[in-house]
Amino acid sequence: MSVSVDISWKSLNKHHEELCGDKVEVLKTEDSEIVILADGMGSGVKANILATLTSKILGTMFLEGASIEACVETIAKTLPVCKVREVAYATFSILQIFHSGEAYLVEFDNPLCVFVRDGKIVDYPYQERVIEGKTIREYRFQVKLKDCFVLMSDGVIYAGVGELLNFGWTWESMAEYTLKCTKQTLSASRLAAMLSQACDDLYGQKPGDDTTVAVARVIERRIVNIFTGPPTHKEDDERVVLDFMKQEGKKIVCGGTSANITARVLKKEIVTSLNYADPTVPPTATIEGLDLVTEGVLTIGKALGLLKRYEQDEFDEAFFDELDADNGAAKLAKLIIEECTELNLFVGKAMNVAHQNSNLPFDLSVRMNLVEQLKECVEHLGKNVNVKYY
């Protein structure tokens, strides 16, 4: 079984602070995916620098295959020492999940990871080791599909101290709430948003500490294929449609001309939807054998707007309401965020006649620019993207 990992995180800055003292790094190797959550001592600029240094050093060394001992030693020697407490302080959690299903977790002074499997909180055995005077917890285990892991900074379990709860959220209450949330959704982004929102509410929207949750969920490899834009040479119409259709995974066509080409090659008819819920997004259509058929430039532009907000950590309940909307742009963005580990783009480079003959200020460069932005944005979300031009 080859597994993939759906990863998302959300941070709240300490009240009145511009910068967050927690840092999350997500890395990919050929055979694994790695999440690092570092929490710098204190808050503001200093904490941000400590956390950034820690996550970058750990990430670079891990990718080079360094042992955890070497990583911790380097961190201990590199980070500046706090004059008052005489400790170089950044805490961290590192979770590495291999595509084979093996997993490795190491924690140093961060709250314990919450493991959810089959609707229950599970405890994995760990080993404690002392490296450079620091006690490290190490876990090795096998993952299963739908397993869910939540890493957190200590701001999470202090949420509500002195505000709504006398002693803050305990780790147990946080774990129970996580379990409750996984019964509603298994999407990493939605879980991260729900847990972060709960912390923000407990803090009365004024977090007393930097607060970060990072969610990793084990999923199957999922491929999404998008065909957009007619090919430069009309005789390539059949080739692009056949290349597109033989891929495994979801199939989406964006653009009226592209939809007509697909319908003609497949000898199927296009049925346009009369549902016009949002006047700013053109209606969708259906073609038998495809998962989604939308208009081109406007719909991709709108979907890209949602993806960029998600990429910039701007997702909350209102964002998910938009993502769940019944229109082509929302459906496209939702497929990419929640149901995609790899994206294949089949892009025709012909000048679109519909654009040439109209007074619309569109030309080929608009579509190419959107495709380029889409590729960049989806790669930033940690997914693999392949583009093929025709």
Side-chain angles (χ1 to χ4, degrees):
M1 173 186 79
S2 174
V3 301
S4 200
V5 192
D6 177 21
I7 298 166
S8 185
W9 74 92
K10 201 151 175 54
S11 291
L12 302 169
N13 293 9
K14 184 177 175 179
H15 189 49
H16 289 321
E17 288 290 358
E18 292 271 319
L19 292 170
C20 186
D22 299 337
K23 195 87 180 124
V24 176
E25 284 275 312
V26 176
L27 305 163
K28 280 181 175 299
T29 67
E30 272 181 29
D31 61 350
S32 75
E33 287 165 72
I34 303 169
V35 193
I36 298 169
L37 191 163
D39 177 358
M41 180 189 252
S43 58
V45 178
K46 187 171 135 196
N48 178 272
I49 292 169
L50 291 170
T52 305
L53 259 173
T54 303
S55 60
K56 292 284 182 206
I57 291 169
L58 288 171
T60 307
M61 292 185 72
F62 236 65
L63 286 179
E64 297 290 322
S67 68
I68 193 66
E69 288 88 349
C71 291
V72 174
E73 201 174 305
T74 306
I75 296 287
K77 287 177 179 166
T78 309
L79 294 187
V81 172
C82 166
K83 286 197 173 65
V84 184
R85 300 171 220 182
E86 298 198 329
V87 277
Y89 230 62
T91 62
F92 58 82
S93 308
I94 307 168
L95 174 64
Q96 181 173 30
I97 298 176
F98 292 89
H99 298 158
S100 64
E102 282 176 62
Y104 174 64
L105 170 69
V106 58
E107 295 172 326
F108 167 55
D109 270 11
N110 266 350
L112 295 169
C113 171
V114 175
F115 298 99
V116 179
R117 172 177 284 183
D118 299 334
K120 291 193 273 299
I121 301 287
V122 277
D123 288 327
Y124 282 114
Y126 57 82
Q127 279 193 312
E128 283 199 347
R129 291 163 59 188
V130 178
I131 305 170
E132 290 284 311
K134 295 178 169 32
T135 305
I136 307 286
R137 289 185 298 264
E138 273 189 308
Y139 308 71
R140 292 179 194 278
F141 51 93
Q142 283 288 127
V143 298
K144 274 171 53 177
L145 283 176
K146 297 189 177 167
D147 277 1
C148 180
F149 307 91
V150 181
L151 306 177
M152 66 192 98
S153 65
D154 58 6
V156 171
I157 50 176
Y158 295 144
V161 173
E163 286 283 334
L164 299 170
L165 310 164
N166 292 337
F167 301 108
W169 236 20
T170 61
W171 184 89
E172 286 73 17
S173 49
M174 159 69 184
E176 279 305 313
Y177 186 70
T178 301
L179 191 59
K180 196 172 129 194
C181 291
T182 58
K183 303 243 190 317
Q184 294 171 46
T185 180
L186 280 171
S187 143
S189 56
R190 290 181 194 239
L191 277 173
M194 288 161 92
L195 296 172
S196 179
Q197 186 64 54
C199 293
D200 205 21
D201 290 346
L202 284 168
Y203 274 125
Q205 277 64 49
K206 292 178 183 170
D209 192 5
D210 298 303
T211 302
T212 300
V213 286
V215 178
R217 190 174 60 101
V218 181
I219 57 172
E220 286 173 288
R221 185 164 156 254
R222 290 183 185 161
I223 301 166
V224 171
N225 305 284
I226 298 176
F227 165 37
T228 183
T232 310
H233 304 292
K234 204 166 174 6
E235 57 269 27
D236 283 335
D237 284 4
E238 191 163 331
R239 183 166 71 94
V240 63
V241 173
L242 295 179
D243 285 354
F244 168 68
M245 290 304 293
K246 73 177 183 214
Q247 302 298 320
E248 62 173 294
K250 297 261 197 272
K251 299 188 178 56
I252 302 166
V253 174
C254 297
T257 313
S258 313
N260 285 325
I261 290 170
T262 308
R264 190 181 73 240
V265 172
L266 298 178
K267 299 184 172 52
K268 305 282 185 197
E269 64 176 306
I270 300 176
V271 182
T272 307
S273 160
L274 298 172
N275 176 8
Y276 220 164
D278 182 343
T280 66
V281 185
T284 57
T286 52
I287 297 175
E288 192 191 324
L290 298 183
D291 296 281
L292 183 63
V293 180
T294 75
E295 175 275 340
V297 170
L298 291 171
T299 303
I300 294 174
K302 282 258 181 199
L304 191 57
L306 284 166
L307 289 168
K308 284 189 168 166
R309 277 168 57 195
Y310 176 62
E311 181 198 350
Q312 285 153 10
D313 210 9
E314 292 168 13
F315 51 96
D316 51 17
E317 278 177 47
F319 171 84
F320 287 112
D321 287 344
E322 281 184 61
L323 198 67
D324 291 335
D326 188 8
N327 66 62
K331 286 178 175 170
L332 179 57
K334 187 174 179 174
L335 273 170
I336 292 172
I337 290 172
E338 298 191 350
E339 295 198 35
C340 170
T341 59
E342 279 174 54
L343 177 65
N344 296 322
L345 292 163
F346 299 80
V347 184
K349 294 176 87 167
M351 176 60 103
N352 195 327
V353 183
H355 296 165
Q356 266 178 324
N357 297 345
S358 70
N359 297 321
L360 291 171
F362 291 141
D363 64 1
L364 176 65
S365 66
V366 173
R367 188 170 68 238
M368 287 303 157
N369 184 1
L370 279 174
V371 167
E372 199 43 52
Q373 285 188 61
L374 184 64
K375 175 181 184 291
E376 241 171 69
C377 184
V378 175
E379 282 177 340
H380 276 172
L381 299 178
K383 302 169 197 284
N384 296 329
V385 184
N386 309 298
V387 188
K388 202 167 174 189
Y389 292 102
Y390 292 84

